[in-house]
Every structure is written in structure tokens, then in C-alpha cells.
Amino acid sequence: MNKMNILNHLTIPSPLTQVKTSWSIAAGIELWLKRDDLIHPIISGNKWRKLSGIFEDYNREDYNGIITFGGAYSNHLVATAASCAIMELPCIGMIRGEEPKEWNPVLKLCKLYGMKLQFISREEYKRTNRQEGIKDNRLYIPEGGASKLGMVGCADILNEIDLTNVSKIFVACGTGTTIAGMATYLEKSENNHTKLYGIQVLKGERYIANDIKKQYDITSVHIYDEFHGGGYAKTNEELISFIKEFTRETGVLLDPIYTGKLMLAIKKLVERKEISGERIVAIHTGGLTGWFGKVSDL
Ligand SMILES: *Cc1c(COP(=O)(O)O)cnc(C)c1O
């Protein structure tokens, strides 16, 4: 099977839907969600976009298996496992750190899809996790799909949206690969009325802004670095009650690690009056398997 066949299992283009919350109505904003979470229940939104850019570039005849890298709760790992099952491709997941006594639900799901898991030391992981390309008939995909090709695949997110009256677009950032792809698309288009904003979900002053400038020479986006809520994958009372309220009001479930923080940040920017009376789009990048380790926080 090849990439064309996997597309029969995915919802591409993903829907664009308007949602109404008490705070968006009060501020007179039109809030639209790009539903990349609906691309596939397990092949999470932007992780598919990145894989797609990578699959696009390598000739399917040149490899007969995939090797990739991730932490024990990686959305990328499980997206790759499910993609490989659909494409009937053997795959190996190299997992950072010692094998846990009890596998968590993400690792079990990877195995369910047929991925073989190998646990490697943090040192070895650090040394190897950035590999990309074909070696010994295996296609290596770097951790999180974070690469130039992964970045290019993310341009499709915006290519699918009519941006005519959209003033602002918001997306959650971990490595910055997704926003870099979106920014590249905007820079190439004739569009100069739509601004792109990133919400950094990890602690670290300006690190994404610096990274995407260094790696991809992107300076056209604004990254907010103050909405991480305590750090990567950390939750708190405010975030959890916001997610509950948002889900109740819109029927759209957010994940606790990326899109929950994204939407809470947008609400705070609305309260700060940095957004008002305009049409904005937030990218729902998926990540709902993020709840596997966190349902007890609800
Ligand atoms: C990985 C991930 C992101 C972050 O993407 P980057 O390209 O690393 O910035 C955002 N949202 C979800 C749901 C993710 O799984």
C-alpha cells in the first residue's frame, strides 16, 4: 500500500467549524476551529501532516519498514504505528528510557497496531533520535516528525482554509515544526492580512521563536511563551476547569497538553482585549490520546 491508500482512511481536507463560547460571543469574535483532530481518531492531526510531508518525499519502493523515535506518551509514535498498520509496513518505535514495569496505554496502543518497541537509554536516544532518511531499506523518521519535510507537510493545514476574512490564526507549539510549516505557506502566499500566532506549551523564554528563526529563518510569527501553565504536560485546576467548560459549551474535546492550553490562551487574549470583533481560526491539532495518562485529572 502507499500513501494514496492511506488517504482512504483519513478525513482530508479536515472540516472547518465555527464554535460559540460565552467569551467569544461576549467579545464579538467569530471563532473557527480547523478540525485536524477529525482526520483520524488515533493518527492525531498535525502528526499526520508531518508524516504526510515525509511520505511524500521518499519513494515507497525504496524502503520496506519504518523506524521512529519517541517518549513513552508520544502522539507521534502512536500516529506512526497506526499509519504503518494501514500501509502494511513493519515499524519499530525506539522509546526513550528504561522499559516501564507496566506499559502505559499509549505504548499498548502502539503494540496493538503492530509496532515493535525497543527501549533505549537516554544517552543513546539523544544520540540517535534526529535521524531521517533511508538506511538498510528502512525509512528513519525523527522524533515527533520534526524535520524539514515534516514542516513542509504542515503547510497543507492552511492550504485547506479560505483565509479571506481571517485576521488571526492560532496554533499550539511544542517543537515549532507545525507553525514553521504554516508560516512558510503564508509567506509564500499573497496573503498579508492574516497573522499567525503560536502558543508555546513548554517552559522556556522565547525558545520556539529562536528555534524557528535559526532553523527555518522564520520571523513573521508571534509566539506567546507565557501560557504553558507550569510546563510541558503539567495540568492545573484552571486548565482542567476551562477544558470542561469548553467541551460542555461546544461539544469539542480538547487535549490537556496542547489544544487545551491553546484555547485557554485565546480566551485570556480575548480578556486582555488583544482579540476582539474579528474572525479567528484556531488549529485543533488533535492529541486526544494525551488523555490516556491524565483522565484522573478530570
Ligand atoms: C505534537 C503536537 C503539537 C506540537 O507540534 P510541533 O510541531 O512540535 O510544534 C501540537 N498539538 C498536538 C496535539 C500535538 O500532538
Side-chain angles (χ1 to χ4, degrees), residues 216-283:
Y216 304 115
D217 199 28
I218 285 163
T219 53
S220 59
V221 303
H222 181 77
I223 311 279
Y224 290 98
D225 61 6
E226 70 263 44
F227 296 118
H228 53 73
Y232 183 67
K234 296 277 193 309
T235 62
N236 55 52
E237 182 60 42
E238 183 190 29
L239 176 68
I240 297 299
S241 57
F242 169 76
I243 290 174
K244 287 178 179 170
E245 179 194 80
F246 188 89
T247 305
R248 216 182 297 123
E249 285 191 335
T250 64
V252 177
L253 183 60
L254 304 171
D255 83 287
I257 298 172
Y258 295 100
T259 56
K261 290 182 182 179
L262 166 73
M263 296 311 299
L264 178 55
I266 292 177
K267 181 185 177 200
K268 288 181 174 178
L269 292 170
V270 167
E271 286 166 356
R272 275 174 19 190
K273 305 225 173 357
E274 290 186 38
I275 309 170
S276 71
E278 53 198 311
R279 178 181 296 175
I280 66 168
V281 174
I283 313 299

Side-chain angles (χ1 to χ4, degrees), residues 47 50 54 68 76 132 141-147 149-151 177:
K47 299 304 183 281
K50 296 184 198 185
I54 294 166
T68 193
H76 161 73
E132 181 173 87
I141 300 179
E143 173 184 57
S147 70
L149 295 173
M151 190 270 275
T177 312

